Coordinates of all heavy atoms in Angstrom, one line a residue:
A60 N -69.7 -109.6 71.2 CA -69.7 -108.5 72.0 C -70.2 -107.3 71.1 O -71.0 -106.4 71.7 CB -68.3 -108.1 72.6
G61 N -69.8 -107.2 69.9 CA -70.3 -106.1 69.1 C -71.7 -106.1 68.8 O -72.4 -105.1 68.9
R62 N -72.3 -107.4 68.6 CA -73.8 -107.5 68.4 C -74.6 -107.1 69.6 O -75.6 -106.5 69.6 CB -74.1 -108.9 67.9 CG -73.7 -109.2 66.5 CD -74.4 -110.6 66.1 NE -73.6 -111.7 66.7 CZ -72.5 -112.2 66.2 NH1 -72.1 -111.8 65.0 NH2 -71.8 -113.2 66.8
S63 N -74.0 -107.5 70.8 CA -74.6 -107.1 72.1 C -74.7 -105.6 72.3 O -75.7 -105.0 72.6 CB -73.9 -107.8 73.2 OG -74.4 -107.4 74.5
L64 N -73.5 -105.0 72.0 CA -73.4 -103.5 72.1 C -74.3 -102.8 71.1 O -74.9 -101.8 71.5 CB -71.9 -103.0 72.0 CG -71.7 -101.6 72.3 CD1 -72.0 -101.2 73.6 CD2 -70.3 -101.2 71.9
L65 N -74.4 -103.3 69.9 CA -75.2 -102.7 69.0 C -76.7 -102.6 69.4 O -77.3 -101.6 69.2 CB -75.1 -103.4 67.6 CG -75.9 -102.8 66.5 CD1 -75.5 -101.4 66.2 CD2 -75.9 -103.8 65.2
R66 N -77.2 -103.7 69.9 CA -78.6 -103.8 70.4 C -78.8 -102.7 71.5 O -79.8 -101.9 71.4 CB -79.0 -105.1 70.9 CG -79.1 -106.1 69.8 CD -79.8 -107.4 70.5 NE -78.9 -108.0 71.5 CZ -78.1 -108.9 71.3 NH1 -77.9 -109.4 70.1 NH2 -77.3 -109.4 72.3
D67 N -77.9 -102.6 72.4 CA -78.0 -101.7 73.5 C -77.8 -100.2 73.0 O -78.4 -99.3 73.5 CB -77.1 -102.0 74.6 CG -77.4 -103.3 75.3 OD1 -78.6 -103.7 75.3 OD2 -76.6 -103.9 75.9
S68 N -76.8 -100.0 72.1 CA -76.5 -98.7 71.6 C -77.7 -98.1 70.9 O -77.9 -96.8 71.1 CB -75.3 -98.7 70.7 OG -74.1 -99.2 71.5
I69 N -78.3 -98.9 70.0 CA -79.6 -98.3 69.4 C -80.6 -97.8 70.3 O -81.1 -96.7 70.2 CB -80.1 -99.3 68.4 CG1 -79.1 -99.7 67.3 CG2 -81.5 -98.9 67.8 CD1 -79.5 -100.8 66.5
Y70 N -80.8 -98.6 71.4 CA -81.8 -98.2 72.4 C -81.2 -96.9 73.2 O -82.0 -96.0 73.4 CB -82.0 -99.3 73.4 CG -82.8 -98.9 74.6 CD1 -84.2 -98.8 74.5 CD2 -82.2 -98.7 75.8 CE1 -85.0 -98.4 75.6 CE2 -82.9 -98.2 76.9 CZ -84.3 -98.1 76.8 OH -85.1 -97.7 77.9
I71 N -79.9 -96.9 73.6 CA -79.4 -95.8 74.4 C -79.5 -94.6 73.7 O -79.9 -93.5 74.2 CB -78.0 -96.1 74.8 CG1 -77.9 -97.3 75.8 CG2 -77.2 -95.0 75.3 CD1 -76.5 -97.8 76.0
T72 N -79.0 -94.5 72.4 CA -79.0 -93.2 71.6 C -80.4 -92.7 71.4 O -80.6 -91.5 71.5 CB -78.3 -93.5 70.2 OG1 -78.9 -94.6 69.6 CG2 -76.8 -93.8 70.5
K73 N -81.4 -93.6 71.1 CA -82.7 -93.2 70.9 C -83.4 -92.6 72.2 O -84.0 -91.6 72.2 CB -83.6 -94.3 70.3 CG -85.0 -93.8 70.0 CD -85.8 -95.0 69.4 CE -87.2 -94.4 68.8 NZ -87.9 -93.6 69.9
Y74 N -83.1 -93.3 73.3 CA -83.6 -92.9 74.5 C -83.0 -91.6 74.9 O -83.8 -90.7 75.5 CB -83.3 -93.9 75.7 CG -84.0 -93.7 77.0 CD1 -85.2 -94.1 77.2 CD2 -83.3 -92.9 77.9 CE1 -85.9 -93.8 78.4 CE2 -84.0 -92.6 79.1 CZ -85.2 -93.1 79.4 OH -85.9 -92.8 80.6
C75 N -81.7 -91.3 74.6 CA -81.2 -90.0 75.0 C -81.8 -88.9 74.1 O -82.0 -87.8 74.6 CB -79.6 -90.1 74.8 SG -78.8 -91.0 76.1
R76 N -82.0 -89.2 72.9 CA -82.6 -88.2 72.0 C -84.0 -87.9 72.5 O -84.4 -86.7 72.5 CB -82.6 -88.7 70.6 CG -81.3 -88.6 69.8 CD -81.4 -88.8 68.4 NE -81.8 -90.1 68.0 CZ -81.1 -91.1 67.7 NH1 -79.8 -91.0 67.8 NH2 -81.7 -92.3 67.4
D77 N -84.8 -88.9 72.8 CA -86.1 -88.7 73.4 C -86.1 -88.0 74.7 O -87.0 -87.1 74.9 CB -86.8 -90.0 73.5 CG -87.2 -90.7 72.3 OD1 -87.1 -90.0 71.3 OD2 -87.6 -91.9 72.3
S78 N -85.1 -88.2 75.5 CA -84.8 -87.5 76.7 C -84.7 -86.0 76.5 O -85.3 -85.1 77.2 CB -83.7 -88.0 77.5 OG -84.0 -89.4 77.9
V79 N -83.9 -85.6 75.5 CA -83.6 -84.2 75.1 C -85.0 -83.6 74.7 O -85.3 -82.4 75.1 CB -82.6 -84.1 74.0 CG1 -82.5 -82.6 73.6 CG2 -81.3 -84.5 74.5
E80 N -85.8 -84.3 73.9 CA -87.0 -83.7 73.5 C -88.0 -83.6 74.7 O -88.7 -82.5 74.8 CB -87.7 -84.7 72.5 CG -87.0 -84.7 71.1 CD -86.9 -83.4 70.5 OE1 -88.0 -82.6 70.5 OE2 -85.9 -83.1 69.9
R81 N -88.0 -84.4 75.6 CA -88.8 -84.3 76.8 C -88.4 -83.1 77.6 O -89.1 -82.3 78.2 CB -88.8 -85.5 77.6 CG -89.6 -86.7 77.0 CD -89.8 -87.9 78.0 NE -88.6 -88.6 78.3 CZ -88.1 -89.6 77.6 NH1 -88.9 -90.0 76.5 NH2 -87.0 -90.3 77.9
A82 N -87.0 -83.0 77.7 CA -86.5 -81.8 78.5 C -86.9 -80.5 77.9 O -87.2 -79.5 78.6 CB -85.0 -81.9 78.6
R83 N -86.8 -80.5 76.5 CA -87.2 -79.2 75.8 C -88.7 -78.9 76.1 O -89.1 -77.8 76.2 CB -86.9 -79.3 74.4 CG -85.4 -79.3 74.1 CD -85.0 -79.6 72.6 NE -83.6 -79.5 72.4 CZ -83.0 -79.9 71.3 NH1 -83.8 -80.6 70.4 NH2 -81.7 -79.7 71.1
S84 N -89.5 -80.0 76.0 CA -90.9 -79.8 76.2 C -91.2 -79.3 77.6 O -92.0 -78.4 77.9 CB -91.7 -81.1 76.0 OG -91.6 -81.5 74.6
A85 N -90.4 -79.9 78.6 CA -90.6 -79.5 80.0 C -90.2 -78.0 80.2 O -90.8 -77.2 80.9 CB -89.8 -80.3 80.9
A86 N -89.2 -77.6 79.5 CA -88.7 -76.2 79.5 C -89.8 -75.2 79.0 O -89.8 -74.1 79.4 CB -87.4 -76.0 78.8
Q87 N -90.6 -75.7 78.1 CA -91.6 -74.9 77.4 C -92.9 -74.9 78.2 O -93.9 -74.3 77.8 CB -91.9 -75.2 76.0 CG -90.6 -75.1 75.2 CD -90.8 -75.7 73.7 OE1 -91.8 -76.3 73.5 NE2 -89.8 -75.5 72.9
H88 N -92.9 -75.8 79.2 CA -94.2 -76.1 80.0 C -94.7 -74.9 80.6 O -94.0 -74.2 81.4 CB -94.0 -77.2 80.9 CG -95.3 -77.5 81.7 ND1 -96.4 -77.8 81.1 CD2 -95.4 -77.4 83.1 CE1 -97.4 -78.0 82.1 NE2 -96.8 -77.8 83.3
T89 N -96.0 -74.6 80.4 CA -96.7 -73.6 81.1 C -98.0 -74.1 81.7 O -98.4 -75.3 81.4 CB -97.0 -72.4 80.2 OG1 -97.9 -72.8 79.1 CG2 -95.8 -71.8 79.5
T90 N -98.6 -73.4 82.5 CA -99.9 -73.9 83.2 C -101.0 -74.1 82.2 O -102.1 -74.7 82.5 CB -100.3 -72.9 84.3 OG1 -100.4 -71.5 83.7 CG2 -99.2 -72.8 85.4
D91 N -100.9 -73.6 81.0 CA -102.0 -73.6 80.0 C -101.7 -74.7 79.0 O -102.2 -74.7 77.9 CB -102.3 -72.4 79.3 CG -101.1 -71.8 78.6 OD1 -100.1 -72.3 78.7 OD2 -101.3 -70.8 77.8
A92 N -100.7 -75.6 79.3 CA -100.4 -76.7 78.3 C -100.6 -78.0 78.9 O -100.2 -78.3 80.1 CB -98.9 -76.4 77.9
I93 N -101.1 -78.9 78.2 CA -101.2 -80.3 78.6 C -100.3 -81.1 77.7 O -100.3 -81.1 76.5 CB -102.6 -80.9 78.4 CG1 -103.6 -80.1 79.4 CG2 -102.7 -82.3 78.7 CD1 -105.0 -80.5 79.2
R94 N -99.4 -81.9 78.3 CA -98.4 -82.7 77.6 C -98.9 -84.1 77.4 O -99.1 -84.8 78.3 CB -97.0 -82.7 78.3 CG -96.4 -81.3 78.5 CD -95.4 -81.3 79.6 NE -96.0 -81.4 80.9 CZ -95.3 -81.5 82.0 NH1 -94.0 -81.3 82.0 NH2 -95.9 -81.8 83.1
I95 N -98.9 -84.5 76.2 CA -99.4 -85.8 75.7 C -98.3 -86.7 75.2 O -97.7 -86.3 74.3 CB -100.6 -85.7 74.7 CG1 -101.7 -84.8 75.2 CG2 -101.1 -87.1 74.3 CD1 -102.7 -84.4 74.1
G96 N -98.1 -87.8 75.8 CA -97.1 -88.7 75.4 C -97.5 -89.5 74.1 O -98.6 -90.0 74.1
V97 N -96.7 -89.5 73.2 CA -97.0 -90.2 71.9 C -96.0 -91.2 71.5 O -94.7 -90.9 71.8 CB -97.3 -89.2 70.8 CG1 -98.5 -88.4 71.1 CG2 -96.1 -88.3 70.5
S98 N -96.4 -92.3 70.9 CA -95.4 -93.3 70.4 C -96.1 -94.0 69.3 O -97.3 -93.8 69.1 CB -95.0 -94.3 71.5 OG -96.0 -95.2 71.8
P99 N -95.5 -94.9 68.5 CA -96.1 -95.6 67.4 C -97.3 -96.4 67.9 O -98.3 -96.5 67.1 CB -95.0 -96.5 66.8 CG -93.8 -95.7 67.1 CD -94.0 -95.0 68.4

Side-chain angles (χ1 to χ4, degrees):
R62 282 189 289 271
S63 176
L64 182 63
L65 178 61
R66 287 192 298 269
D67 293 337
S68 295
I69 292 173
Y70 172 79
I71 290 169
T72 54
K73 186 178 187 308
Y74 189 84
C75 286
R76 286 193 293 268
D77 290 347
S78 296
V79 172
E80 290 301 320
R81 287 192 291 270
R83 288 171 177 166
S84 295
Q87 298 171 359
H88 176 60
T89 61
T90 55
D91 62 347
I93 296 177
R94 297 161 296 178
I95 303 173
V97 295
S98 75

